[in-house]
Structure formats: C-alpha cells, structure tokens
Amino acid sequence: MLRALVAAASALVLGACGTMPRPAAQDVAAQSWSGDYRFQWAAGTQAARRGIPAPAQVRIRPITSAKEVPGAKADGNGPQWAISFVGEPGAPLPLIPFKAKGYEEMGWAAMRAGGKIACLESGSFMFVCRTHPGTTLSFGRQNDEQLTSKTGLFGVALHQGSFELTPLD
C-alpha cells in the first residue's frame, strides 16, 4: 500500500514539474472500424491506370450475426466486420482480423507488436488496415510498392492496387 502511495505521489510531482513522460501513441487496434468512408485509388495503381471507377462510398460495420453477411463465420476468432460498397450491387463482404502470419508475410510484424497497425481481410480479395496518418508502408511481391497513408486508413484490392479511405462526417 505504501509503495502504491509513493508511486502515485511521485507521478503527481513529476507531472507538476513537466517531466512526466508523454503517453505512447494510441494503439490503432483499439480504434473502431465502424464508419462511412470515401474510397480513392492510390495514384499509379492498376485500377487507376485502367480507369476503373472507385466506389463513391464504402461502409464498414460490425457483424452481429453470421446470417447477416454471406460468407461470415461465427468461429470465435475475434470480432468480424462487413464492408459494403454503397449504391453498388452485391452483398457486403465479411472482414476478419489478420492473423499473425499475415503481418509477418507483409513485413509488418514489428509494427503490429508496437500497436502501429491493425488489419482486416476479406479472404484473398482485399484487406483494409489502420495505421497512424502519414505512415509509409511497403508491400507487394518484393516490397516494391509503397503507400504513404494520409488518413491512416488504407487497403489493397487483388489485381487492382492500393486505396485510401477517408472518413466521412
């Protein structure tokens, strides 16, 4: 008990003197995925070069029942989400958290361990990640593609390239 009181008093004194260490940046995995986003292909991607139109808006919502989204599984491996392309035909796609192997394959294991990246995947079709705005990431077969995420929300669609998500108010 005395040790806890001394630690608390020390923290108050250090804080009052301005020598308290700054808190670490928030772990991006703790942030919610729910929201509506503007979707924009990154410059130079296959989709941008071929003139594939970007969806006007995407929506990410939690799945509360596996019956809601075709392909969703109630497997107990953590929360699941669904991404839908607003105004476009087709059912929402299920999104599940990356497994450790996914981060390792992308070369992002250290970022994940430091709370600097969190990703969701929809099978082999696409993945969506959250990181701190301004982070530059490498990916691709030989880490030959780079993206500096302006918003901290980005993804990659198979055979199309990377994209940025901007939250809508």
Side-chain angles (χ1 to χ4, degrees):
M1 179 71 173
L2 181 59
R3 184 176 289 172
L5 289 173
V6 170
S10 296
L12 286 172
V13 170
L14 288 173
C17 295
T19 58
M20 188 85 158
R22 292 183 181 197
Q26 182 181 7
D27 183 339
V28 295
Q31 298 174 14
S32 174
W33 291 94
S34 291
D36 293 330
Y37 303 93
R38 182 173 52 85
F39 182 109
Q40 182 177 358
W41 293 114
T45 61
Q46 290 180 32
R49 286 193 304 269
R50 293 190 312 220
I52 296 174
Q57 180 180 346
V58 298
R59 178 171 291 143
I60 300 177
R61 297 283 184 258
I63 297 175
T64 56
S65 165
K67 295 176 186 176
E68 289 178 51
V69 179
K73 299 174 189 164
D75 61 5
N77 284 336
Q80 292 189 32
W81 303 86
I83 186 168
S84 56
F85 302 92
V86 178
E88 295 190 17
L93 298 171
L95 295 169
I96 60 170
F98 255 33
K99 294 184 176 45
K101 183 178 178 182
Y103 292 101
E104 290 170 12
E105 289 173 355
M106 297 300 291
W108 300 339
M111 288 180 67
R112 176 183 181 238
K116 295 180 181 174
I117 195 165
C119 299
L120 302 173
E121 64 179 317
S122 182
S124 59
F125 170 68
M126 70 178 283
F127 63 85
V128 179
C129 297
R130 177 184 301 281
T131 188
H132 297 287
T135 300
T136 299
L137 298 121
S138 296
F139 53 92
R141 289 189 179 151
Q142 287 128 3
N143 272 342
D144 54 347
E145 296 180 52
Q146 283 195 332
L147 171 75
T148 299
S149 180
K150 296 174 196 152
T151 66
L153 296 163
F154 72 95
V156 175
L158 184 65
H159 302 302
Q160 305 302 324
S162 58
F163 57 87
E164 188 93 25
L165 297 175
T166 304
L168 298 173
D169 292 331

